[in-house]
Amino acid sequence: MDFALSDEQVALAETERAWLAKNDPLLVRRPTIDDGPARIPQGALRHIAESGIIGLLTSDLGGTHVDLLVLCEEHGRSGSSVPLAELTIACRLLEQIGHPTLEDAASGESLTVPAVGSLEAPALHAGIEGTSLRLHGTTAPVTGLVDAQRVLILASTTDGTEVAAVVSVDAVTIRTLETLDLTRSWAVADLDLTLDTGEWSAVPAGTLAFIQDELATYRSTDAVGAASRLLDLTVEYAGQRTQFDRPIGSFQAVKHHCADMALSVEASRAALWAAAVALDGTDLEVRTRAVSAAAAYAGEGTSTTAQTALQVHGGIGFTWEHDVHLLIRRIKVDELLDGSVRYHRRRLISA
């Protein structure tokens, strides 16, 4: 595949990086770490709403998954608590099912996040009873759910029909999860609902698998962003830290570590570009292979990069004051959600 970002996509990423640098999410988060899960700052929400990012994938804006990918990488790099991919995906789905809350979601007036069942331990069940939809069980972990006003549930019923339902968070039980990740909130929704006609919609077959592929792609993209930041921090530290009156970056072993990190980040990024292109395409087999190949490779690669960054930093990397541990924590959670490395390798083999 001969692919490169367009000038517009490069500019989009640079603009978002500049905004995030000016409004450093980790700097904002640190004073509140002991107060509970990370919340979405109002300034950040206003930024993504006013810039049109939430509605990027709607027909009005006509953005692509590659556009969203470069933005999600920047948010992962900065340690942002904004569930950018989730909000954008939900907005596209609201348009697809013709839901009246689309305008509020796109403007940031109310937040809607998508929720699906776990890929590896499904606990969300759906069934159609006459004209009603019965939903019960527990969703997979969702970031940003504690700040959302609505949750968009996607599930497959016992007869294979795929359904979508937008419900108020007041109608479900939200359980906040304690995870390694201190930069984002994670929660699950426990459901026990019966929805009447007009409160749910049947969606085309394959919609659920497409959403799962989107979430897997952007979860890995977030990890690549964090790994890219760790690479920069590690190279900077190796050039400053001295041993035997020489920067440790001059030692061959440290050079090899940094080179391996750079290779992993760049290769993971390229694989995810291919996955985003496949999401914009129409070939199901190509998309399945591209997404799982990218998720499996990036999942392992970013985790190894995180471990190497900690090794090169040494003791300072363990300290609470340094950003290294916050980014490592984020990567480790990304590695486990929306399909583990093992899951995507199995899927790739059978694709």
Side-chain angles (χ1 to χ4, degrees):
M1 176 184 292
D2 184 12
F3 174 81
L5 297 180
S6 67
D7 291 342
E8 291 79 7
Q9 288 163 341
V10 171
L12 183 65
E14 290 175 346
T15 301
E16 195 67 10
R17 180 178 296 194
W19 189 92
L20 290 164
K22 183 179 179 181
N23 302 270
D24 187 352
L26 294 184
L27 193 62
V28 172
R29 173 59 177 150
R30 279 193 174 275
T32 64
I33 284 180
D34 293 330
D35 298 337
R39 308 305 292 263
I40 303 173
Q42 286 302 307
L45 179 58
R46 186 165 53 251
H47 162 69
I48 62 172
E50 291 177 352
S51 60
I53 294 175
I54 300 180
L56 182 66
L57 296 181
T58 61
S59 57
D60 284 346
L61 291 181
T64 67
H65 283 89
V66 179
D67 297 332
L68 182 56
L69 181 139
V70 300
L71 292 169
C72 288
E73 181 177 340
E74 295 303 328
H75 278 257
R77 176 185 175 85
S78 68
S80 168
S81 62
V82 177
L84 188 63
E86 285 78 4
L87 293 174
T88 306
I89 291 169
C91 206
R92 179 184 63 77
L93 285 168
L94 290 172
E95 180 183 48
Q96 179 180 332
I97 63 177
H99 202 272
T101 61
L102 171 61
E103 185 175 343
D104 285 347
S107 66
E109 289 297 318
S110 65
L111 300 185
T112 301
V113 293
V116 297
S118 171
L119 287 171
E120 298 179 79
L124 177 61
H125 308 286
I128 298 175
E129 302 172 355
T131 59
S132 299
L133 174 67
R134 175 77 175 141
L135 291 170
H136 64 97
T138 303
T139 67
V142 182
T143 183
L145 183 56
V146 297
D147 287 299
Q149 286 73 48
R150 299 182 183 89
V151 57
L152 202 171
I153 309 293
L154 290 111
S156 179
T157 65
T158 51
D159 65 0
T161 302
E162 296 186 16
V163 295
V166 180
V167 298
S168 168
V169 293
D170 295 331
V172 301
T173 300
I174 305 298
R175 285 192 290 121
T176 303
L177 304 177
E178 292 187 10
T179 71
L180 280 174
D181 188 1
L182 299 176
T183 59
R184 294 169 293 186
S185 65
W186 290 95
V188 296
D190 293 323
L191 309 175
D192 188 10
L193 300 170
T194 299
L195 303 176
D196 295 327
T197 303
E199 296 179 311
W200 62 278
S201 305
V203 293
T207 299
L208 178 59
F210 187 80
I211 302 306
Q212 291 168 334
D213 282 346
E214 285 182 306
L215 293 172
T217 298
Y218 295 120
R219 187 68 55 239
S220 296
T221 300
D222 182 272
V224 167
S228 176
R229 174 83 171 273
L230 284 174
L231 171 61
D232 291 347
L233 290 172
T234 303
V235 170
E236 181 183 10
Y237 180 75
Q240 296 173 345
R241 176 74 165 88
T242 60
Q243 189 70 37
F244 308 113
D245 297 323
R246 295 173 57 189
I248 64 171
S250 66
F251 302 145
Q252 188 176 42
V254 176
K255 289 179 180 179
H256 286 175
H257 278 322
C258 292
D260 288 342
M261 291 172 68
L263 176 61
S264 178
V265 168
E266 289 298 327
S268 297
R269 181 180 289 127
L272 287 163
W273 283 355
V277 170
L279 286 171
D280 286 323
T282 57
D283 192 315
L284 173 60
E285 292 185 4
V286 169
R287 189 191 81 213
T288 300
R289 290 195 300 268
V291 169
S292 282
Y297 185 88
E300 181 178 35
T302 55
S303 181
T304 302
T305 296
Q307 295 170 19
T308 306
L310 186 58
Q311 183 176 355
V312 175
H313 275 85
I316 195 173
F318 286 91
T319 61
W320 186 257
E321 293 76 16
H322 207 288
D323 289 343
V324 166
H325 77 97
L326 295 175
L327 295 167
I328 291 175
R329 289 166 179 265
R330 188 176 179 109
I331 287 171
K332 295 304 290 183
V333 170
D334 281 336
E335 181 187 0
L336 297 174
L337 297 180
D338 296 303
S340 64
V341 171
R342 179 179 297 180
Y343 169 85
H344 283 290
R345 283 176 174 165
R346 290 199 305 266
R347 185 174 183 239
L348 185 59
I349 290 172
S350 61

